[in-house]
Amino acid sequence: LHRISSSTCNEEEIVARSRSSVSLRDIQRVFSLFSFFVKDFPLTKGTEQHQYRASMIHTIAVVYFFKLDSTSRSRFLDKITKESTNPSREKDEFMSVLDRTLTTLISETQIPDGIAITDGLKENIFMTLICSLSCTPLVIIGPPGSSKTLSVNIIDYNAKGDQSQKRFYRQLSKVDTFHYQCSRTSTSKEVSSVFEKAIDRQA
């Protein structure tokens, strides 16, 4: 944490930041997601040092990294590791931790036959699961065929709590889905009613 925060302390960047704004929602998500990964996510378990470090890497990935395109991701990693004594090793560790989690998650997830396991599908499944379990808002954006609906359906099928077929998912809470098909005639009241039903169900 100290290494990441210390990478943003020179005078030029302080001036640049004074002209920009930071989303307080993102800051709140960092705290809530870090707590979730430390306490409730099986794939970050280990020694205290490993657990905290892995949880922070996962938190950074969910809040910032996965929303970026490939070029911006590379720049982002350069930014947060530039004060490290070994930036290359830090970047490799960041990507290695994420890749290991995504690969393990996919191996524990039942996916229909004939579905290609692309990087996009891995990330969408991971983000859908994490944001559902941690009650974090998520909007998946992409062209047709980029596994948006597919990832939600896969999580809906797998995340059944105690009734899940895979042991990994039996360690997690059940995910209940509430569907709404938008159209040009959709109203804000119709959309909000779906959220209200989900909130009532969760309570």
Side-chain angles (χ1 to χ4, degrees), residues 149 152-153 156 176-198:
T149 302
V152 174
N153 290 339
D156 183 34
D176 286 328
T177 57
F178 293 79
H179 298 273
Y180 179 76
Q181 183 63 50
C182 292
S183 69
R184 293 184 177 182
T185 60
S186 295
T187 65
S188 58
K189 184 176 182 180
E190 291 173 345
V191 175
S192 64
S193 69
V194 179
F195 283 90
E196 290 168 2
K197 290 178 183 177

Side-chain angles (χ1 to χ4, degrees), residues 86-102:
N86 193 334
S88 178
R89 185 182 65 186
E90 295 288 337
K91 291 181 214 175
D92 289 344
E93 181 193 5
F94 186 93
M95 295 306 301
S96 176
V97 168
L98 292 184
D99 183 66
R100 187 163 55 248
T101 293
L102 267 59

Side-chain angles (χ1 to χ4, degrees), residues 63-171:
V63 178
Y64 301 106
F65 185 75
F66 281 136
K67 68 173 64 172
L68 304 173
D69 59 35
S70 58
T71 301
S72 298
R73 289 181 181 187
S74 179
R75 292 174 180 169
F76 178 79
L77 289 180
D78 288 341
K79 177 73 172 178
I80 67 173
T81 61
K82 71 176 184 178
E83 296 295 328
S84 169
T85 56
N86 193 334
S88 178
R89 185 182 65 186
E90 295 288 337
K91 291 181 214 175
D92 289 344
E93 181 193 5
F94 186 93
M95 295 306 301
S96 176
V97 168
L98 292 184
D99 183 66
R100 187 163 55 248
T101 293
L102 267 59
T103 299
T104 302
L105 177 60
I106 290 299
S107 70
E108 295 291 338
T109 301
Q110 291 184 295
I111 297 175
D113 293 337
I115 300 298
I117 309 301
T118 64
D119 289 340
L121 179 62
K122 288 181 181 180
E123 291 180 11
N124 284 346
I125 288 176
F126 172 76
M127 290 293 290
T128 300
L129 177 64
I130 296 304
C131 291
S132 296
L133 294 175
S134 63
C135 300
T136 302
L138 172 68
V139 177
I140 304 176
I141 301 172
S146 56
S147 75
K148 302 184 299 297
T149 302
L150 176 63
S151 60
V152 174
N153 290 339
I154 288 174
I155 291 301
D156 183 34
Y157 179 79
N158 283 269
K160 300 295 185 184
D162 294 340
Q163 304 302 314
S164 301
Q165 297 187 39
K166 291 276 192 171
R167 179 180 176 278
F168 170 77
Y169 282 94
R170 289 198 292 272
Q171 302 174 73

Side-chain angles (χ1 to χ4, degrees), residues 38-58:
V38 169
K39 297 177 181 178
D40 300 318
F41 193 57
L43 299 185
T44 55
K45 301 302 181 185
T47 64
E48 184 177 55
Q49 181 179 5
H50 166 81
Q51 188 170 9
Y52 286 153
R53 189 166 179 80
S55 296
M56 180 51 67
I57 288 173
H58 285 75

